[in-house]
mmCIF file with all atom_site columns, all heavy atoms in Angstrom:
data_model
loop_
_atom_site.group_PDB
_atom_site.id
_atom_site.type_symbol
_atom_site.label_atom_id
_atom_site.label_alt_id
_atom_site.label_comp_id
_atom_site.label_asym_id
_atom_site.label_entity_id
_atom_site.label_seq_id
_atom_site.pdbx_PDB_ins_code
_atom_site.Cartn_x
_atom_site.Cartn_y
_atom_site.Cartn_z
_atom_site.occupancy
_atom_site.B_iso_or_equiv
_atom_site.pdbx_formal_charge
_atom_site.auth_seq_id
_atom_site.auth_comp_id
_atom_site.auth_asym_id
_atom_site.auth_atom_id
_atom_site.pdbx_PDB_model_num
ATOM 1   N N   . LEU B 1 11 ? -11.783 -18.307 0.966  1.00 97.00 ? 35 LEU B N   1
ATOM 2   C CA  . LEU B 1 11 ? -12.456 -17.927 2.213  1.00 97.00 ? 35 LEU B CA  1
ATOM 3   C C   . LEU B 1 11 ? -13.957 -17.933 1.939  1.00 97.00 ? 35 LEU B C   1
ATOM 4   O O   . LEU B 1 11 ? -14.401 -17.297 0.979  1.00 97.00 ? 35 LEU B O   1
ATOM 5   C CB  . LEU B 1 11 ? -11.963 -16.538 2.598  1.00 97.00 ? 35 LEU B CB  1
ATOM 6   C CG  . LEU B 1 11 ? -12.332 -15.870 3.903  1.00 97.00 ? 35 LEU B CG  1
ATOM 7   C CD1 . LEU B 1 11 ? -11.325 -14.766 4.212  1.00 97.00 ? 35 LEU B CD1 1
ATOM 8   C CD2 . LEU B 1 11 ? -13.720 -15.270 3.848  1.00 97.00 ? 35 LEU B CD2 1
ATOM 9   N N   . SER B 1 12 ? -14.709 -18.643 2.753  1.00 97.00 ? 36 SER B N   1
ATOM 10  C CA  . SER B 1 12 ? -16.167 -18.655 2.626  1.00 97.00 ? 36 SER B CA  1
ATOM 11  C C   . SER B 1 12 ? -16.760 -17.799 3.730  1.00 97.00 ? 36 SER B C   1
ATOM 12  O O   . SER B 1 12 ? -16.433 -17.998 4.911  1.00 97.00 ? 36 SER B O   1
ATOM 13  C CB  . SER B 1 12 ? -16.699 -20.086 2.731  1.00 97.00 ? 36 SER B CB  1
ATOM 14  O OG  . SER B 1 12 ? -16.240 -20.867 1.659  1.00 97.00 ? 36 SER B OG  1
ATOM 15  N N   . ALA B 1 13 ? -17.591 -16.857 3.362  1.00 96.00 ? 37 ALA B N   1
ATOM 16  C CA  . ALA B 1 13 ? -18.149 -15.928 4.344  1.00 96.00 ? 37 ALA B CA  1
ATOM 17  C C   . ALA B 1 13 ? -19.553 -15.506 3.936  1.00 96.00 ? 37 ALA B C   1
ATOM 18  O O   . ALA B 1 13 ? -19.967 -15.696 2.779  1.00 96.00 ? 37 ALA B O   1
ATOM 19  C CB  . ALA B 1 13 ? -17.248 -14.704 4.474  1.00 96.00 ? 37 ALA B CB  1
ATOM 20  N N   . SER B 1 14 ? -20.255 -14.933 4.884  1.00 96.00 ? 38 SER B N   1
ATOM 21  C CA  . SER B 1 14 ? -21.622 -14.478 4.655  1.00 96.00 ? 38 SER B CA  1
ATOM 22  C C   . SER B 1 14 ? -21.675 -12.956 4.632  1.00 96.00 ? 38 SER B C   1
ATOM 23  O O   . SER B 1 14 ? -20.795 -12.291 5.194  1.00 96.00 ? 38 SER B O   1
ATOM 24  C CB  . SER B 1 14 ? -22.536 -15.004 5.759  1.00 96.00 ? 38 SER B CB  1
ATOM 25  O OG  . SER B 1 14 ? -22.506 -16.412 5.816  1.00 96.00 ? 38 SER B OG  1
ATOM 26  N N   . VAL B 1 15 ? -22.722 -12.444 4.011  1.00 96.00 ? 39 VAL B N   1
ATOM 27  C CA  . VAL B 1 15 ? -22.931 -10.993 4.021  1.00 96.00 ? 39 VAL B CA  1
ATOM 28  C C   . VAL B 1 15 ? -22.994 -10.517 5.468  1.00 96.00 ? 39 VAL B C   1
ATOM 29  O O   . VAL B 1 15 ? -23.653 -11.131 6.312  1.00 96.00 ? 39 VAL B O   1
ATOM 30  C CB  . VAL B 1 15 ? -24.221 -10.638 3.260  1.00 96.00 ? 39 VAL B CB  1
ATOM 31  C CG1 . VAL B 1 15 ? -24.550 -9.151  3.421  1.00 96.00 ? 39 VAL B CG1 1
ATOM 32  C CG2 . VAL B 1 15 ? -24.077 -10.985 1.781  1.00 96.00 ? 39 VAL B CG2 1
ATOM 33  N N   . GLY B 1 16 ? -22.265 -9.451  5.738  1.00 96.00 ? 40 GLY B N   1
ATOM 34  C CA  . GLY B 1 16 ? -22.225 -8.893  7.079  1.00 96.00 ? 40 GLY B CA  1
ATOM 35  C C   . GLY B 1 16 ? -21.031 -9.355  7.907  1.00 96.00 ? 40 GLY B C   1
ATOM 36  O O   . GLY B 1 16 ? -20.724 -8.762  8.950  1.00 96.00 ? 40 GLY B O   1
ATOM 37  N N   . ASP B 1 17 ? -20.357 -10.418 7.465  1.00 97.00 ? 41 ASP B N   1
ATOM 38  C CA  . ASP B 1 17 ? -19.195 -10.923 8.193  1.00 97.00 ? 41 ASP B CA  1
ATOM 39  C C   . ASP B 1 17 ? -18.026 -9.942  8.115  1.00 97.00 ? 41 ASP B C   1
ATOM 40  O O   . ASP B 1 17 ? -17.873 -9.189  7.155  1.00 97.00 ? 41 ASP B O   1
ATOM 41  C CB  . ASP B 1 17 ? -18.717 -12.266 7.625  1.00 97.00 ? 41 ASP B CB  1
ATOM 42  C CG  . ASP B 1 17 ? -19.595 -13.432 8.022  1.00 97.00 ? 41 ASP B CG  1
ATOM 43  O OD1 . ASP B 1 17 ? -20.506 -13.239 8.865  1.00 97.00 ? 41 ASP B OD1 1
ATOM 44  O OD2 . ASP B 1 17 ? -19.365 -14.538 7.501  1.00 97.00 ? 41 ASP B OD2 1
ATOM 45  N N   . ARG B 1 18 ? -17.172 -10.011 9.133  1.00 98.00 ? 42 ARG B N   1
ATOM 46  C CA  . ARG B 1 18 ? -15.890 -9.318  9.105  1.00 98.00 ? 42 ARG B CA  1
ATOM 47  C C   . ARG B 1 18 ? -14.876 -10.293 8.530  1.00 98.00 ? 42 ARG B C   1
ATOM 48  O O   . ARG B 1 18 ? -14.768 -11.435 8.975  1.00 98.00 ? 42 ARG B O   1
ATOM 49  C CB  . ARG B 1 18 ? -15.482 -8.909  10.518 1.00 98.00 ? 42 ARG B CB  1
ATOM 50  C CG  . ARG B 1 18 ? -14.169 -8.133  10.594 1.00 98.00 ? 42 ARG B CG  1
ATOM 51  C CD  . ARG B 1 18 ? -13.865 -7.796  12.048 1.00 98.00 ? 42 ARG B CD  1
ATOM 52  N NE  . ARG B 1 18 ? -12.633 -7.052  12.218 1.00 98.00 ? 42 ARG B NE  1
ATOM 53  C CZ  . ARG B 1 18 ? -12.547 -5.732  12.152 1.00 98.00 ? 42 ARG B CZ  1
ATOM 54  N NH1 . ARG B 1 18 ? -13.659 -5.009  11.916 1.00 98.00 ? 42 ARG B NH1 1
ATOM 55  N NH2 . ARG B 1 18 ? -11.398 -5.115  12.332 1.00 98.00 ? 42 ARG B NH2 1
ATOM 56  N N   . VAL B 1 19 ? -14.154 -9.861  7.524  1.00 98.00 ? 43 VAL B N   1
ATOM 57  C CA  . VAL B 1 19 ? -13.227 -10.726 6.796  1.00 98.00 ? 43 VAL B CA  1
ATOM 58  C C   . VAL B 1 19 ? -11.821 -10.153 6.871  1.00 98.00 ? 43 VAL B C   1
ATOM 59  O O   . VAL B 1 19 ? -11.624 -8.944  6.691  1.00 98.00 ? 43 VAL B O   1
ATOM 60  C CB  . VAL B 1 19 ? -13.681 -10.830 5.317  1.00 98.00 ? 43 VAL B CB  1
ATOM 61  C CG1 . VAL B 1 19 ? -12.605 -11.442 4.447  1.00 98.00 ? 43 VAL B CG1 1
ATOM 62  C CG2 . VAL B 1 19 ? -14.974 -11.640 5.216  1.00 98.00 ? 43 VAL B CG2 1
ATOM 63  N N   . THR B 1 20 ? -10.851 -11.025 7.121  1.00 98.00 ? 44 THR B N   1
ATOM 64  C CA  . THR B 1 20 ? -9.456  -10.606 7.175  1.00 98.00 ? 44 THR B CA  1
ATOM 65  C C   . THR B 1 20 ? -8.614  -11.509 6.294  1.00 98.00 ? 44 THR B C   1
ATOM 66  O O   . THR B 1 20 ? -8.700  -12.738 6.369  1.00 98.00 ? 44 THR B O   1
ATOM 67  C CB  . THR B 1 20 ? -8.920  -10.652 8.619  1.00 98.00 ? 44 THR B CB  1
ATOM 68  O OG1 . THR B 1 20 ? -9.680  -9.756  9.424  1.00 98.00 ? 44 THR B OG1 1
ATOM 69  C CG2 . THR B 1 20 ? -7.453  -10.220 8.659  1.00 98.00 ? 44 THR B CG2 1
ATOM 70  N N   . ILE B 1 21 ? -7.811  -10.903 5.447  1.00 98.00 ? 45 ILE B N   1
ATOM 71  C CA  . ILE B 1 21 ? -6.885  -11.599 4.560  1.00 98.00 ? 45 ILE B CA  1
ATOM 72  C C   . ILE B 1 21 ? -5.466  -11.173 4.936  1.00 98.00 ? 45 ILE B C   1
ATOM 73  O O   . ILE B 1 21 ? -5.210  -9.986  5.167  1.00 98.00 ? 45 ILE B O   1
ATOM 74  C CB  . ILE B 1 21 ? -7.184  -11.248 3.089  1.00 98.00 ? 45 ILE B CB  1
ATOM 75  C CG1 . ILE B 1 21 ? -8.599  -11.685 2.707  1.00 98.00 ? 45 ILE B CG1 1
ATOM 76  C CG2 . ILE B 1 21 ? -6.146  -11.879 2.161  1.00 98.00 ? 45 ILE B CG2 1
ATOM 77  C CD1 . ILE B 1 21 ? -9.080  -11.125 1.378  1.00 98.00 ? 45 ILE B CD1 1
ATOM 78  N N   . THR B 1 22 ? -4.573  -12.149 4.987  1.00 98.00 ? 46 THR B N   1
ATOM 79  C CA  . THR B 1 22 ? -3.202  -11.883 5.385  1.00 98.00 ? 46 THR B CA  1
ATOM 80  C C   . THR B 1 22 ? -2.241  -12.024 4.205  1.00 98.00 ? 46 THR B C   1
ATOM 81  O O   . THR B 1 22 ? -2.432  -12.889 3.339  1.00 98.00 ? 46 THR B O   1
ATOM 82  C CB  . THR B 1 22 ? -2.776  -12.850 6.497  1.00 98.00 ? 46 THR B CB  1
ATOM 83  O OG1 . THR B 1 22 ? -3.610  -12.637 7.637  1.00 98.00 ? 46 THR B OG1 1
ATOM 84  C CG2 . THR B 1 22 ? -1.324  -12.618 6.906  1.00 98.00 ? 46 THR B CG2 1
ATOM 85  N N   . CYS B 1 23 ? -1.234  -11.183 4.192  1.00 98.00 ? 47 CYS B N   1
ATOM 86  C CA  . CYS B 1 23 ? -0.194  -11.214 3.156  1.00 98.00 ? 47 CYS B CA  1
ATOM 87  C C   . CYS B 1 23 ? 1.160   -11.099 3.850  1.00 98.00 ? 47 CYS B C   1
ATOM 88  O O   . CYS B 1 23 ? 1.364   -10.174 4.654  1.00 98.00 ? 47 CYS B O   1
ATOM 89  C CB  . CYS B 1 23 ? -0.417  -10.060 2.192  1.00 98.00 ? 47 CYS B CB  1
ATOM 90  S SG  . CYS B 1 23 ? 0.743   -9.981  0.817  1.00 98.00 ? 47 CYS B SG  1
ATOM 91  N N   . ARG B 1 24 ? 2.051   -12.041 3.581  1.00 98.00 ? 48 ARG B N   1
ATOM 92  C CA  . ARG B 1 24 ? 3.385   -12.028 4.182  1.00 98.00 ? 48 ARG B CA  1
ATOM 93  C C   . ARG B 1 24 ? 4.455   -11.904 3.105  1.00 98.00 ? 48 ARG B C   1
ATOM 94  O O   . ARG B 1 24 ? 4.400   -12.596 2.087  1.00 98.00 ? 48 ARG B O   1
ATOM 95  C CB  . ARG B 1 24 ? 3.627   -13.288 5.003  1.00 98.00 ? 48 ARG B CB  1
ATOM 96  C CG  . ARG B 1 24 ? 2.826   -13.345 6.274  1.00 98.00 ? 48 ARG B CG  1
ATOM 97  C CD  . ARG B 1 24 ? 3.214   -14.530 7.159  1.00 98.00 ? 48 ARG B CD  1
ATOM 98  N NE  . ARG B 1 24 ? 2.512   -14.465 8.446  1.00 98.00 ? 48 ARG B NE  1
ATOM 99  C CZ  . ARG B 1 24 ? 1.307   -14.976 8.671  1.00 98.00 ? 48 ARG B CZ  1
ATOM 100 N NH1 . ARG B 1 24 ? 0.664   -15.583 7.693  1.00 98.00 ? 48 ARG B NH1 1
ATOM 101 N NH2 . ARG B 1 24 ? 0.754   -14.881 9.862  1.00 98.00 ? 48 ARG B NH2 1
ATOM 102 N N   . ALA B 1 25 ? 5.419   -11.033 3.362  1.00 98.00 ? 49 ALA B N   1
ATOM 103 C CA  . ALA B 1 25 ? 6.535   -10.819 2.438  1.00 98.00 ? 49 ALA B CA  1
ATOM 104 C C   . ALA B 1 25 ? 7.758   -11.607 2.903  1.00 98.00 ? 49 ALA B C   1
ATOM 105 O O   . ALA B 1 25 ? 7.975   -11.766 4.107  1.00 98.00 ? 49 ALA B O   1
ATOM 106 C CB  . ALA B 1 25 ? 6.872   -9.341  2.352  1.00 98.00 ? 49 ALA B CB  1
ATOM 107 N N   . SER B 1 26 ? 8.550   -12.072 1.947  1.00 97.00 ? 50 SER B N   1
ATOM 108 C CA  . SER B 1 26 ? 9.727   -12.874 2.286  1.00 97.00 ? 50 SER B CA  1
ATOM 109 C C   . SER B 1 26 ? 10.855  -12.034 2.881  1.00 97.00 ? 50 SER B C   1
ATOM 110 O O   . SER B 1 26 ? 11.806  -12.579 3.439  1.00 97.00 ? 50 SER B O   1
ATOM 111 C CB  . SER B 1 26 ? 10.230  -13.617 1.042  1.00 97.00 ? 50 SER B CB  1
ATOM 112 O OG  . SER B 1 26 ? 10.577  -12.693 0.025  1.00 97.00 ? 50 SER B OG  1
ATOM 113 N N   . GLN B 1 27 ? 10.768  -10.724 2.734  1.00 96.00 ? 51 GLN B N   1
ATOM 114 C CA  . GLN B 1 27 ? 11.680  -9.811  3.408  1.00 96.00 ? 51 GLN B CA  1
ATOM 115 C C   . GLN B 1 27 ? 10.941  -8.493  3.623  1.00 96.00 ? 51 GLN B C   1
ATOM 116 O O   . GLN B 1 27 ? 9.873   -8.288  3.049  1.00 96.00 ? 51 GLN B O   1
ATOM 117 C CB  . GLN B 1 27 ? 12.947  -9.587  2.589  1.00 96.00 ? 51 GLN B CB  1
ATOM 118 C CG  . GLN B 1 27 ? 12.741  -8.901  1.254  1.00 96.00 ? 51 GLN B CG  1
ATOM 119 C CD  . GLN B 1 27 ? 14.025  -8.836  0.436  1.00 96.00 ? 51 GLN B CD  1
ATOM 120 O OE1 . GLN B 1 27 ? 14.487  -9.843  -0.106 1.00 96.00 ? 51 GLN B OE1 1
ATOM 121 N NE2 . GLN B 1 27 ? 14.605  -7.655  0.362  1.00 96.00 ? 51 GLN B NE2 1
ATOM 122 N N   . SER B 1 28 ? 11.514  -7.639  4.436  1.00 97.00 ? 52 SER B N   1
ATOM 123 C CA  . SER B 1 28 ? 10.824  -6.402  4.762  1.00 97.00 ? 52 SER B CA  1
ATOM 124 C C   . SER B 1 28 ? 10.596  -5.533  3.527  1.00 97.00 ? 52 SER B C   1
ATOM 125 O O   . SER B 1 28 ? 11.507  -5.327  2.712  1.00 97.00 ? 52 SER B O   1
ATOM 126 C CB  . SER B 1 28 ? 11.630  -5.594  5.787  1.00 97.00 ? 52 SER B CB  1
ATOM 127 O OG  . SER B 1 28 ? 10.989  -4.365  6.045  1.00 97.00 ? 52 SER B OG  1
ATOM 128 N N   . ILE B 1 29 ? 9.365   -5.031  3.412  1.00 96.00 ? 53 ILE B N   1
ATOM 129 C CA  . ILE B 1 29 ? 9.022   -4.131  2.315  1.00 96.00 ? 53 ILE B CA  1
ATOM 130 C C   . ILE B 1 29 ? 8.504   -2.799  2.858  1.00 96.00 ? 53 ILE B C   1
ATOM 131 O O   . ILE B 1 29 ? 7.792   -2.065  2.168  1.00 96.00 ? 53 ILE B O   1
ATOM 132 C CB  . ILE B 1 29 ? 7.984   -4.759  1.357  1.00 96.00 ? 53 ILE B CB  1
ATOM 133 C CG1 . ILE B 1 29 ? 6.715   -5.183  2.111  1.00 96.00 ? 53 ILE B CG1 1
ATOM 134 C CG2 . ILE B 1 29 ? 8.593   -5.946  0.607  1.00 96.00 ? 53 ILE B CG2 1
ATOM 135 C CD1 . ILE B 1 29 ? 5.560   -5.562  1.186  1.00 96.00 ? 53 ILE B CD1 1
ATOM 136 N N   . SER B 1 30 ? 8.840   -2.509  4.119  1.00 96.00 ? 54 SER B N   1
ATOM 137 C CA  . SER B 1 30 ? 8.354   -1.287  4.768  1.00 96.00 ? 54 SER B CA  1
ATOM 138 C C   . SER B 1 30 ? 6.824   -1.258  4.647  1.00 96.00 ? 54 SER B C   1
ATOM 139 O O   . SER B 1 30 ? 6.161   -2.211  5.053  1.00 96.00 ? 54 SER B O   1
ATOM 140 C CB  . SER B 1 30 ? 9.021   -0.069  4.139  1.00 96.00 ? 54 SER B CB  1
ATOM 141 O OG  . SER B 1 30 ? 8.650   1.106   4.824  1.00 96.00 ? 54 SER B OG  1
ATOM 142 N N   . SER B 1 31 ? 6.278   -0.201  4.074  1.00 96.00 ? 55 SER B N   1
ATOM 143 C CA  . SER B 1 31 ? 4.825   -0.130  3.870  1.00 96.00 ? 55 SER B CA  1
ATOM 144 C C   . SER B 1 31 ? 4.455   -0.119  2.398  1.00 96.00 ? 55 SER B C   1
ATOM 145 O O   . SER B 1 31 ? 3.360   0.316   2.022  1.00 96.00 ? 55 SER B O   1
ATOM 146 C CB  . SER B 1 31 ? 4.274   1.132   4.547  1.00 96.00 ? 55 SER B CB  1
ATOM 147 O OG  . SER B 1 31 ? 4.442   1.069   5.936  1.00 96.00 ? 55 SER B OG  1
ATOM 148 N N   . TRP B 1 32 ? 5.369   -0.624  1.563  1.00 96.00 ? 56 TRP B N   1
ATOM 149 C CA  . TRP B 1 32 ? 5.155   -0.565  0.109  1.00 96.00 ? 56 TRP B CA  1
ATOM 150 C C   . TRP B 1 32 ? 4.294   -1.729  -0.354 1.00 96.00 ? 56 TRP B C   1
ATOM 151 O O   . TRP B 1 32 ? 4.760   -2.662  -1.023 1.00 96.00 ? 56 TRP B O   1
ATOM 152 C CB  . TRP B 1 32 ? 6.483   -0.525  -0.624 1.00 96.00 ? 56 TRP B CB  1
ATOM 153 C CG  . TRP B 1 32 ? 7.404   0.578   -0.185 1.00 96.00 ? 56 TRP B CG  1
ATOM 154 C CD1 . TRP B 1 32 ? 8.679   0.438   0.283  1.00 96.00 ? 56 TRP B CD1 1
ATOM 155 C CD2 . TRP B 1 32 ? 7.100   1.993   -0.130 1.00 96.00 ? 56 TRP B CD2 1
ATOM 156 N NE1 . TRP B 1 32 ? 9.191   1.668   0.596  1.00 96.00 ? 56 TRP B NE1 1
ATOM 157 C CE2 . TRP B 1 32 ? 8.261   2.638   0.355  1.00 96.00 ? 56 TRP B CE2 1
ATOM 158 C CE3 . TRP B 1 32 ? 5.988   2.768   -0.470 1.00 96.00 ? 56 TRP B CE3 1
ATOM 159 C CZ2 . TRP B 1 32 ? 8.324   4.020   0.519  1.00 96.00 ? 56 TRP B CZ2 1
ATOM 160 C CZ3 . TRP B 1 32 ? 6.057   4.147   -0.297 1.00 96.00 ? 56 TRP B CZ3 1
ATOM 161 C CH2 . TRP B 1 32 ? 7.209   4.757   0.184  1.00 96.00 ? 56 TRP B CH2 1
ATOM 162 N N   . LEU B 1 33 ? 3.022   -1.675  0.029  1.00 97.00 ? 57 LEU B N   1
ATOM 163 C CA  . LEU B 1 33 ? 2.105   -2.752  -0.287 1.00 97.00 ? 57 LEU B CA  1
ATOM 164 C C   . LEU B 1 33 ? 0.775   -2.202  -0.745 1.00 97.00 ? 57 LEU B C   1
ATOM 165 O O   . LEU B 1 33 ? 0.261   -1.254  -0.163 1.00 97.00 ? 57 LEU B O   1
ATOM 166 C CB  . LEU B 1 33 ? 1.871   -3.657  0.928  1.00 97.00 ? 57 LEU B CB  1
ATOM 167 C CG  . LEU B 1 33 ? 1.025   -4.877  0.573  1.00 97.00 ? 57 LEU B CG  1
ATOM 168 C CD1 . LEU B 1 33 ? 1.903   -6.089  0.345  1.00 97.00 ? 57 LEU B CD1 1
ATOM 169 C CD2 . LEU B 1 33 ? -0.037  -5.154  1.606  1.00 97.00 ? 57 LEU B CD2 1
ATOM 170 N N   . ALA B 1 34 ? 0.232   -2.815  -1.789 1.00 98.00 ? 58 ALA B N   1
ATOM 171 C CA  . ALA B 1 34 ? -1.088  -2.454  -2.310 1.00 98.00 ? 58 ALA B CA  1
ATOM 172 C C   . ALA B 1 34 ? -1.994  -3.682  -2.301 1.00 98.00 ? 58 ALA B C   1
ATOM 173 O O   . ALA B 1 34 ? -1.518  -4.826  -2.311 1.00 98.00 ? 58 ALA B O   1
ATOM 174 C CB  . ALA B 1 34 ? -0.959  -1.904  -3.731 1.00 98.00 ? 58 ALA B CB  1
ATOM 175 N N   . TRP B 1 35 ? -3.296  -3.417  -2.268 1.00 98.00 ? 59 TRP B N   1
ATOM 176 C CA  . TRP B 1 35 ? -4.319  -4.473  -2.357 1.00 98.00 ? 59 TRP B CA  1
ATOM 177 C C   . TRP B 1 35 ? -5.239  -4.159  -3.529 1.00 98.00 ? 59 TRP B C   1
ATOM 178 O O   . TRP B 1 35 ? -5.615  -3.002  -3.745 1.00 98.00 ? 59 TRP B O   1
ATOM 179 C CB  . TRP B 1 35 ? -5.150  -4.535  -1.076 1.00 98.00 ? 59 TRP B CB  1
ATOM 180 C CG  . TRP B 1 35 ? -4.442  -5.041  0.134  1.00 98.00 ? 59 TRP B CG  1
ATOM 181 C CD1 . TRP B 1 35 ? -3.839  -4.309  1.118  1.00 98.00 ? 59 TRP B CD1 1
ATOM 182 C CD2 . TRP B 1 35 ? -4.293  -6.415  0.518  1.00 98.00 ? 59 TRP B CD2 1
ATOM 183 N NE1 . TRP B 1 35 ? -3.309  -5.136  2.075  1.00 98.00 ? 59 TRP B NE1 1
ATOM 184 C CE2 . TRP B 1 35 ? -3.584  -6.442  1.746  1.00 98.00 ? 59 TRP B CE2 1
ATOM 185 C CE3 . TRP B 1 35 ? -4.702  -7.639  -0.037 1.00 98.00 ? 59 TRP B CE3 1
ATOM 186 C CZ2 . TRP B 1 35 ? -3.253  -7.624  2.404  1.00 98.00 ? 59 TRP B CZ2 1
ATOM 187 C CZ3 . TRP B 1 35 ? -4.373  -8.803  0.615  1.00 98.00 ? 59 TRP B CZ3 1
ATOM 188 C CH2 . TRP B 1 35 ? -3.659  -8.797  1.827  1.00 98.00 ? 59 TRP B CH2 1
ATOM 189 N N   . TYR B 1 36 ? -5.623  -5.223  -4.249 1.00 98.00 ? 60 TYR B N   1
ATOM 190 C CA  . TYR B 1 36 ? -6.513  -5.098  -5.394 1.00 98.00 ? 60 TYR B CA  1
ATOM 191 C C   . TYR B 1 36 ? -7.657  -6.088  -5.259 1.00 98.00 ? 60 TYR B C   1
ATOM 192 O O   . TYR B 1 36 ? -7.502  -7.162  -4.664 1.00 98.00 ? 60 TYR B O   1
ATOM 193 C CB  . TYR B 1 36 ? -5.780  -5.402  -6.705 1.00 98.00 ? 60 TYR B CB  1
ATOM 194 C CG  . TYR B 1 36 ? -4.601  -4.501  -6.974 1.00 98.00 ? 60 TYR B CG  1
ATOM 195 C CD1 . TYR B 1 36 ? -3.343  -4.812  -6.460 1.00 98.00 ? 60 TYR B CD1 1
ATOM 196 C CD2 . TYR B 1 36 ? -4.738  -3.338  -7.714 1.00 98.00 ? 60 TYR B CD2 1
ATOM 197 C CE1 . TYR B 1 36 ? -2.251  -3.985  -6.685 1.00 98.00 ? 60 TYR B CE1 1
ATOM 198 C CE2 . TYR B 1 36 ? -3.656  -2.503  -7.946 1.00 98.00 ? 60 TYR B CE2 1
ATOM 199 C CZ  . TYR B 1 36 ? -2.418  -2.839  -7.425 1.00 98.00 ? 60 TYR B CZ  1
ATOM 200 O OH  . TYR B 1 36 ? -1.337  -2.015  -7.639 1.00 98.00 ? 60 TYR B OH  1
ATOM 201 N N   . GLN B 1 37 ? -8.785  -5.739  -5.864 1.00 98.00 ? 61 GLN B N   1
ATOM 202 C CA  . GLN B 1 37 ? -9.945  -6.618  -5.971 1.00 98.00 ? 61 GLN B CA  1
ATOM 203 C C   . GLN B 1 37 ? -10.125 -6.949  -7.444 1.00 98.00 ? 61 GLN B C   1
ATOM 204 O O   . GLN B 1 37 ? -10.065 -6.047  -8.289 1.00 98.00 ? 61 GLN B O   1
ATOM 205 C CB  . GLN B 1 37 ? -11.190 -5.892  -5.449 1.00 98.00 ? 61 GLN B CB  1
ATOM 206 C CG  . GLN B 1 37 ? -12.478 -6.661  -5.590 1.00 98.00 ? 61 GLN B CG  1
ATOM 207 C CD  . GLN B 1 37 ? -13.688 -5.759  -5.358 1.00 98.00 ? 61 GLN B CD  1
ATOM 208 O OE1 . GLN B 1 37 ? -13.974 -4.868  -6.153 1.00 98.00 ? 61 GLN B OE1 1
ATOM 209 N NE2 . GLN B 1 37 ? -14.402 -5.991  -4.262 1.00 98.00 ? 61 GLN B NE2 1
#
Side-chain angles (χ1 to χ4, degrees):
Chain B
L35 186 160
S36 296
S38 302
V39 172
D41 284 352
R42 182 181 180 87
V43 167
T44 299
I45 299 168
T46 298
C47 182
R48 289 187 174 88
S50 60
Q51 64 186 73
S52 177
I53 56 169
S54 185
S55 295
W56 305 123
L57 186 99
W59 290 96
Y60 301 87
Q61 176 193 68

